Amino acid sequence: PIQTQHVLLATSSSAMSFWGARVAPGETAKVSVPAGEVLHLSQACLDPAVSSGASSRVIVEQNGTSFVVAALKEGGQECCALDLFLDLSEAKLKV
């Protein structure tokens, strides 16, 4: 069976030049953005320590609807370039 693995997210905002987080399966990314600012999600990658054949999906949840923005698989597409601007008062990043 294929197991979901940790995903690394990279992003920036006007207040931060770089932000990265390791997000575990079933978890929501924890990030603080100043009021009125949006988060720029620029990349999602599998954790380098994932097991062979592992896969994960990066999900944006907004207004009760979930959107898969990246599907990652070890040995295939391990990274995904993104250009998403998210208002974290309305959206959540999940794996």
Side-chain angles (χ1 to χ4, degrees), residues 24-56:
E27 296 293 321
T28 300
K30 299 191 179 23
V31 63
S32 301
V33 177
E37 296 283 331
V38 295
L39 188 72
H40 178 221
L41 180 61
S42 59
Q43 188 168 28
C45 297
L46 284 176
D47 188 317
V50 299
S51 54
S52 180
S55 67
S56 281

Side-chain angles (χ1 to χ4, degrees), residues 6-8 44-46 54-58 70-74 76-80:
H6 287 81
V7 171
L8 306 174
C45 297
L46 284 176
S55 67
S56 281
R57 297 182 307 162
V58 178
L72 307 172
K73 181 170 176 61
E74 188 278 330
Q77 182 168 344
E78 296 182 357
C79 289
C80 181

Side-chain angles (χ1 to χ4, degrees), residues 12-37:
S12 63
S13 75
S14 61
M16 298 178 271
S17 59
F18 175 81
W19 168 84
R22 178 175 285 147
V23 184
E27 296 293 321
T28 300
K30 299 191 179 23
V31 63
S32 301
V33 177
E37 296 283 331

Side-chain angles (χ1 to χ4, degrees), residues 26 38 44 65 69 71:
V38 295
T65 304
V69 297

